[in-house]
């Protein structure tokens, strides 16, 4: 699949907008064309998460060392004291498989990556129907403390203002529809 070799797909959204579900759908629907780009993160794994599958879970010291050694395409402190970043070696690993990396990143990271790869990236912004709905979904997910829930909601309101900078905005009012739309847009971008 030479045509997908150096393309990449960015999915960004406020936390809880359904980005993970859309990402999973795309990976399942297009397994020969896409591979999940595993980021480094310094937060603790949730109980259902696996090291080197969901993230490369590393210490702040290791993360700082990788920053110094310029190993990241981009990195960010997404939440207070919590670092996330995409390794150059990860993107290369996936291109060597002749697939396109699918990057699940926060909104600022999405904009930064898009600027680094202006000609070969597709950036999707998954939009939640409302902040109230976002709050309901995050509570239902049950992974947040009251403080981290509030931090995510505050960040979400700010992040929504960046959606015009993305190539495509996909409203996630209904998950099946949003997944189908995302798949159609990705297929078009990859020419498949
Ligand atoms: P979570 O802690 O819920 O797994 O992720 C928090 C946020 O960090 C999500 O919006 C996720 O997409 C984002 N994120 C994950 N990996 C990266 C990365 O490599 N770079 C950036 N900028 N954000 C990331």
């Amino acid at each position: 699949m030479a045509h997908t070799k150096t393309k990449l797909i960015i999915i960004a959204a406020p936390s809880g907008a359904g980005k993970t579900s859309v990402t999973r759908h795309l990976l399942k629907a297009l397994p020969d064309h896409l591979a999940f780009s595993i980021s480094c993160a310094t937060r603790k794994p949730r109980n259902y998460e696996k090291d080197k599958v969901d993230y490369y879970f590393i210490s702040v010291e290791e993360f700082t060392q990788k920053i110094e050694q310029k190993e990241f395409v981009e990195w960010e402190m997404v939440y207070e004291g919590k670092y996330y970043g995409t390794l150059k070696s990860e993107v290369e690993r996936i291109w060597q498989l002749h697939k396109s990396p699918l990057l699940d990143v926060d909104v600022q990271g999405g904009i930064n990556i898009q600027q680094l790869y202006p000609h070969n990236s597709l950036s999707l912004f998954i939009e939640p129907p409302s902040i109230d709905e976002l709050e309901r979904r995050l509570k239902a997910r049950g992974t947040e403390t009251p403080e981290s829930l509030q931090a995510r909601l505050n960040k979400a309101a700010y992040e929504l203002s960046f959606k015009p900078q993305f190539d495509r905005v996909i409203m996630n009012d209904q998950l099946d529809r949003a997944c189908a739309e995302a798949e159609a847009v990705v297929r078009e971008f990859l020419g498949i």
Side-chain angles (χ1 to χ4, degrees):
M1 287 307 133
H3 60 284
T4 62
K5 210 179 151 193
T6 55
K7 292 187 177 180
L8 54 86
I9 292 155
I10 302 157
I11 300 200
S15 172
K19 181 174 51 169
T20 309
S21 305
V22 174
T23 300
R24 283 206 194 108
H25 170 79
L26 290 173
L27 292 168
K28 205 170 157 199
L30 303 169
D32 296 337
H33 299 276
L34 300 178
F36 182 63
S37 166
I38 305 167
S39 294
C40 290
T42 64
R43 71 160 170 74
K44 288 200 177 69
R46 298 178 183 134
N47 56 11
Y48 54 86
E49 288 177 327
K50 287 203 174 65
D51 186 33
K52 303 185 176 63
V53 175
D54 298 288
Y55 284 106
Y56 299 111
F57 290 103
I58 61 175
S59 66
V60 174
E61 291 69 35
E62 285 173 285
F63 201 100
T64 311
Q65 208 170 30
K66 289 185 187 301
I67 295 173
E68 281 163 9
Q69 290 170 354
K70 302 199 179 346
E71 289 183 43
F72 289 112
V73 174
E74 69 83 38
W75 64 271
E76 254 195 279
M77 189 171 77
V78 174
Y79 297 106
E80 195 54 41
K82 304 283 182 273
Y83 295 89
Y84 296 78
T86 302
L87 291 168
K88 291 176 187 168
S89 59
E90 181 66 7
V91 172
E92 289 296 334
R93 176 184 75 80
I94 295 169
W95 279 338
Q96 275 172 20
L97 297 172
H98 303 292
K99 295 184 185 184
S100 299
L102 186 59
L103 282 70
D104 171 336
V105 293
D106 83 324
V107 171
Q108 195 54 56
I111 291 169
N112 293 341
I113 297 163
Q114 184 181 32
Q115 285 167 355
L116 286 169
Y117 301 99
H119 305 300
N120 54 346
S121 66
L122 170 71
S123 61
L124 306 181
F125 184 97
I126 311 298
E127 184 177 12
S130 68
I131 294 284
D132 284 351
E133 173 63 14
L134 199 60
E135 181 169 0
R136 203 189 57 70
R137 288 182 193 175
L138 282 172
K139 281 184 175 160
R141 194 169 80 178
T143 54
E144 307 308 318
T145 63
E147 292 74 31
S148 73
L149 175 71
Q150 200 49 54
R152 280 174 192 256
L153 290 176
N154 291 344
K155 190 167 183 307
Y158 172 70
E159 287 179 330
L160 276 174
S161 66
F162 291 100
K163 75 176 183 187
Q165 298 191 38
F166 284 75
D167 293 328
R168 296 293 289 259
V169 175
I170 295 176
M171 163 61 78
N172 183 14
D173 46 359
Q174 215 247 324
L175 186 60
D176 289 353
R177 201 204 52 74
C179 287
E181 185 181 345
E183 183 181 334
V185 171
V186 169
R187 281 183 182 278
E188 188 190 334
F189 173 71
L190 296 179
I192 55 174

